[in-house]
Amino acid sequence: MAATETLTAERILEATEEVLRRYGPAKATVVDVARVLGVSHGSVYRHFRTKAALREAVTERWLERTIVALGPYVEAGGPADERLTGWLTALFALKRKKAGGDPELMATFQVLIGENSAVVDRHEEHLVEQIARILEDGHREDLFAAPERDFATTARAVFDATDRFHNPAHAADWSAPDVEDAFTAVVSLVQRALRA
Amino acid sequence: MAATETLTAERILEATEEVLRRYGPAKATVVDVARVLGVSHGSVYRHFRTKAALREAVTERWLERTIVALGPYVEAGGPADERLTGWLTALFALKRKKAGGDPELMATFQVLIGENSAVVDRHEEHLVEQIARILEDGHREDLFAAPERDFATTARAVFDATDRFHNPAHAADWSAPDVEDAFTAVVSLVQRALRA
């Protein structure tokens, strides 16, 4: 890659993901990242002061893609109950695709996720906020009843109740023959709970 | 232990659990079990034809304790919605106690559980049947609405929706400060979904 291109944080993160995919989280170094970019490792450190900061940023970028992909279900028009089912279905599909489509990259990010629990907590909060916004819309549309405490608490409960279908700890179960039926039954339970 | 006592399957299983606790699942042998009982290993094999069969039986016995402990919530009188919350709360408490109180035995049984997925499937079916019985009672008492498909499907959905609070894969989260609130919110969501 030409070093003459401006070295942006985004370019460094892209290269870091590539290096992580190639060498694995145990072996990947900042020097490898610099080599891929054709720059000195000092140039990389000017953007990310430590290797840990770089790994944290790449984890955040990877998780952020999910938030972006789910955005349409939050922003779009249409009845909130359908958008909620769409959001939950899309999240499950994204997680399954990540787990099944590129198991090595998934394993790599499982290691990074273990190292960066604060990033994961913030990511979960973003996901819960997306649910909360759909719940508020649904309440305004008279589709969903008022929450028992507040939208944030109910949104968290919806997120937790569907944990089996987005938490990578359950990835091994996602190829079971009855997983679609199980997912549909839980979503239907959640919808019944929310209904006005 | 006196070999003159009748050698029952139950006594062998008790000794096996003791041996597993002492030596761990990788090292425990049938010879160790026989030694604890003061009998020949041939006597043990007359009850359990293989080491694998013995390990399966001890796993089943360990899981069965949970079913027995939860029995009162299924059999007892009282409103079904309260019994359901009681059942879910007791299951969470049992699992937390197992995970936190005796981490070595828990780790041992996690290995055995990995070896005996059919036993675990049957165990989950038993738990789901217990929920289904409470749901049927609740419907009879006009506390719970008719299930969308059938009691078994709804019971499975209740079990799956509360997975974060009984699946040992989540044991690391069970000491988080907000876990009680998260549990209460999910149970409240489930109760709203079932309400007549």
Side-chain angles (χ1 to χ4, degrees):
Chain A
M1 208 176 279
T4 47
E5 281 179 53
T6 316
L7 186 66
T8 58
E10 179 57 26
R11 275 189 62 212
I12 294 171
L13 292 173
E14 221 169 83
T16 305
E17 192 171 308
E18 179 55 35
V19 164
L20 282 164
R21 182 197 295 269
R22 207 183 294 168
Y23 303 115
K27 287 190 191 153
T29 67
V30 174
V31 172
D32 296 324
V33 174
R35 193 181 304 123
V36 164
L37 292 164
V39 301
S40 71
H41 64 276
S43 308
V44 175
Y45 281 123
R46 267 192 290 279
H47 286 268
F48 298 96
R49 282 171 43 166
T50 61
K51 184 179 167 181
L54 179 56
R55 287 164 81 101
E56 184 181 311
V58 85
T59 308
E60 196 155 24
R61 179 174 175 269
W62 187 69
L63 294 171
E64 188 62 23
R65 275 182 227 157
T66 302
I67 303 289
V68 171
L70 296 172
Y73 297 95
V74 182
E75 313 295 343
D81 52 354
E82 288 172 20
R83 280 159 53 212
L84 180 64
T85 295
W87 188 95
L88 291 167
T89 307
L91 178 60
F92 187 25
L94 282 167
K95 294 287 182 135
R96 284 172 100 173
K97 205 177 146 201
K98 272 185 180 175
D102 198 340
E104 274 178 37
L105 193 65
M106 182 72 172
T108 289
F109 275 103
Q110 281 312 103
V111 172
L112 291 173
I113 276 168
E115 289 170 6
N116 294 287
S117 63
V119 172
V120 176
D121 288 350
R122 276 204 301 279
H123 173 64
E124 291 197 353
E125 279 164 30
H126 285 170
L127 291 170
V128 170
E129 278 163 26
Q130 288 192 324
I131 300 176
R133 286 184 52 196
I134 301 175
L135 297 186
E136 285 180 56
D137 288 350
H139 181 50
R140 216 174 294 121
E141 296 164 15
D142 270 334
L143 289 167
F144 295 150
E148 290 204 342
R149 269 179 61 187
D150 48 58
F151 289 110
T153 304
T154 304
R156 181 83 218 182
V158 170
F159 186 73
D160 285 346
T162 51
D163 184 277
R164 242 179 76 86
F165 309 104
H166 54 70
N167 189 324
H170 297 290
D173 299 332
W174 293 343
S175 43
D178 56 354
V179 74
E180 294 288 345
D181 287 348
F183 173 71
T184 304
V186 169
V187 171
S188 149
L189 191 81
V190 165
Q191 290 282 5
R192 274 179 79 148
L194 299 174
R195 206 168 287 164
Chain B
M1 207 178 279
T4 46
E5 282 180 51
T6 315
L7 186 64
T8 59
E10 179 58 26
R11 275 189 62 213
I12 293 171
L13 292 173
E14 220 169 84
T16 304
E17 191 170 309
E18 179 55 36
V19 164
L20 282 164
R21 182 197 295 267
R22 209 183 294 168
Y23 302 115
K27 288 190 192 154
T29 67
V30 174
V31 172
D32 295 325
V33 175
R35 193 181 304 124
V36 164
L37 292 163
V39 301
S40 71
H41 64 276
S43 309
V44 175
Y45 281 124
R46 268 192 290 280
H47 286 269
F48 299 96
R49 282 172 42 165
T50 62
K51 183 179 167 180
L54 178 55
R55 286 164 82 101
E56 185 181 312
V58 85
T59 308
E60 196 155 25
R61 177 173 176 270
W62 188 68
L63 294 171
E64 187 62 24
R65 275 182 228 158
T66 301
I67 303 289
V68 171
L70 296 172
Y73 296 96
V74 183
E75 314 294 344
D81 52 354
E82 287 172 21
R83 280 158 53 210
L84 180 64
T85 294
W87 188 95
L88 291 167
T89 307
L91 178 60
F92 187 26
L94 282 167
K95 295 286 183 136
R96 283 172 100 174
K97 204 176 146 201
K98 271 185 179 175
D102 198 340
E104 273 177 38
L105 193 65
M106 182 72 172
T108 290
F109 274 104
Q110 282 311 105
V111 172
L112 291 173
I113 276 169
E115 289 171 6
N116 294 286
S117 63
V119 172
V120 176
D121 289 350
R122 276 204 300 280
H123 173 63
E124 290 198 353
E125 280 164 30
H126 285 170
L127 290 170
V128 170
E129 278 162 25
Q130 288 192 324
I131 299 176
R133 287 184 52 196
I134 300 175
L135 297 186
E136 285 180 56
D137 288 350
H139 182 51
R140 214 174 296 121
E141 295 163 17
D142 271 333
L143 289 167
F144 294 150
E148 290 203 342
R149 272 178 60 186
D150 48 59
F151 289 110
T153 305
T154 303
R156 181 81 217 183
V158 170
F159 186 72
D160 285 345
T162 51
D163 184 277
R164 242 178 76 84
F165 309 103
H166 54 70
N167 189 324
H170 297 290
D173 300 331
W174 293 343
S175 44
D178 57 355
V179 74
E180 294 288 346
D181 287 347
F183 173 72
T184 304
V186 168
V187 170
S188 148
L189 191 80
V190 165
Q191 289 283 4
R192 275 179 77 149
L194 299 173
R195 206 169 287 164

